[in-house]
Amino acid sequence: MVDTGERQVGNGRRAPKSPEAFRTISEVADDLDVPQHVLRFWESKFTQVRPLKRGGGRRYYRPEDVDLLRGIRHLLYVDGFTIKGVQKLLKENGAKSVVEAGRRLHDGDSAEPVAATVMAPAASGSGTGDTPRLSDQGRRRLNQVVDDLQRLRELLRRR
């Protein structure tokens, strides 16, 4: 039996789950503000998401699964990645980089977008395991592109 972490308290209410408790698909969907069918779809696209399946196909998500899903959601909905882009990121940088994206969002950190931190190549031979950072030259180029896009948007608005 899977320990879902909920315990009965007085008046028929349930005490909050511990952070280590497994979550049902409805709980995860509510937490991430996505429909349940989206979570099932993401399972088919991201093999790293592997909830425990019990009798009748009921899913129980581990805390690691929820962290990964939160990162996937952030990359797709906030940073504008495509499914293929997130798949590539998972393949090249591993699940930790995606989980970190979700943690920054969950913790309320308004740090720079993930594209500016995890997509840049790591310094060769650093071996520190730190998240790679965009070089100064890359940051300047990215800022130029953003400025160009903003000018184009303004031109389109005037038409």
Side-chain angles (χ1 to χ4, degrees), residues 43-62:
E43 283 177 40
S44 72
K45 295 297 180 184
F46 305 106
T47 58
Q48 297 84 354
V49 178
R50 294 182 297 266
L52 213 65
K53 291 186 183 174
R54 304 304 282 181
R58 189 168 173 92
R59 290 166 167 81
Y60 288 98
Y61 292 86
R62 300 169 189 87

Side-chain angles (χ1 to χ4, degrees), residues 22-42:
F22 285 55
R23 304 284 193 268
T24 64
I25 192 168
S26 62
E27 291 170 324
V28 175
D30 289 345
D31 183 37
L32 299 180
D33 195 28
V34 297
Q36 293 178 22
H37 71 270
V38 169
L39 294 176
R40 290 189 289 272
F41 175 72
W42 288 350

Side-chain angles (χ1 to χ4, degrees), residues 138-152:
R139 189 175 311 283
R140 283 191 298 276
R141 179 67 186 126
L142 186 59
N143 286 332
Q144 289 172 345
V145 170
V146 169
D147 290 343
D148 290 345
L149 288 171
Q150 288 173 338
R151 281 193 291 277
L152 286 171

Side-chain angles (χ1 to χ4, degrees), residues 100-114:
E100 185 59 33
R103 282 212 176 103
R104 285 198 310 271
L105 176 70
H106 187 65
D107 294 342
D109 184 0
S110 59
E112 58 190 309
V114 171

